[in-house]
Amino acid sequence: MDPLNLEPGTLCVLVGPPGCGKSTFAARYPVSWRVCLDAYRKLATDDEADQSATPVAAQIQNLLLDARLSRHLTTVVDSTNVYAHVRAGLLARARYWQRPTVAILFDIPLVVVEAQNAARNRVVPTQVLHDLHAQLPTRDQLRHEGFGTVRLASELTAAAGVLR
């Protein structure tokens, strides 16, 4: 299922803090389409929260991104992606493979993110949530960075119930 009707081969980058609904959104896509640093950290260390495994998780993600994008396969990146340098690396891969890009900005109010985070199995510390939420780019910033399409999660929810 493809709730956004992504063009084949698209790199779809989810952008938002933990607890904002990225993984719930990503779960609407086939598992083979999804790449996720948490999953690769868990494979490397048995703990998806072990940040020391992020470098190896990023290597795994990059290998899979290249494998999928080189084959014109749609790929959804389910990680926070709140830092510009991380998004720049993803955009560079898409440009290299000449693939379209879509960013989904999870513009969810911090109070909602905090409530959803509190209900998760793996609760992220409040200060980390605040820090990551403060790093969220704007829609215009994402466009300026080079994303071909930028969608706001709040609009998707209001317009089509895509995130419900």
Side-chain angles (χ1 to χ4, degrees), residues 16-27:
C20 71
K22 295 181 308 298
S23 294
T24 300
F25 177 82

Side-chain angles (χ1 to χ4, degrees), residues 39-108:
Y40 309 137
R41 280 191 287 265
K42 185 171 185 164
L43 288 171
T45 67
D46 289 335
D47 181 1
E48 64 188 19
D50 185 345
Q51 298 299 308
S52 73
T54 298
V56 73
Q59 289 177 330
I60 295 166
Q61 176 178 279
N62 290 339
L63 180 66
L64 290 171
L65 283 171
D66 287 338
R68 292 189 59 76
L69 295 175
S70 71
R71 290 169 175 83
H72 301 259
L73 297 172
T74 303
T75 305
V76 177
V77 182
D78 177 16
S79 300
T80 60
N81 301 310
V82 297
Y83 298 112
H85 73 277
V86 171
R87 295 189 304 274
L90 295 169
L91 285 165
R93 282 196 145 66
R95 274 192 306 277
Y96 179 83
W97 295 109
Q98 300 176 20
R99 300 293 169 255
T101 56
V102 173
I104 308 297
L105 177 59
F106 284 76
D107 58 332
I108 309 302

Side-chain angles (χ1 to χ4, degrees), residues 102-151:
V102 173
I104 308 297
L105 177 59
F106 284 76
D107 58 332
I108 309 302
L110 182 57
V111 66
V112 174
V113 171
E114 288 174 323
Q116 291 177 172
N117 178 59
R120 294 171 47 163
N121 288 337
R122 182 175 58 94
V123 176
V124 175
T126 301
Q127 189 56 49
V128 173
L129 280 184
H130 286 232
D131 292 346
L132 293 174
H133 197 274
Q135 294 294 321
L136 281 176
T138 64
R139 172 186 259 174
D140 287 340
Q141 183 179 349
L142 291 170
R143 284 185 181 136
H144 180 73
E145 288 175 5
F147 283 97
T149 302
V150 179
R151 305 287 301 270

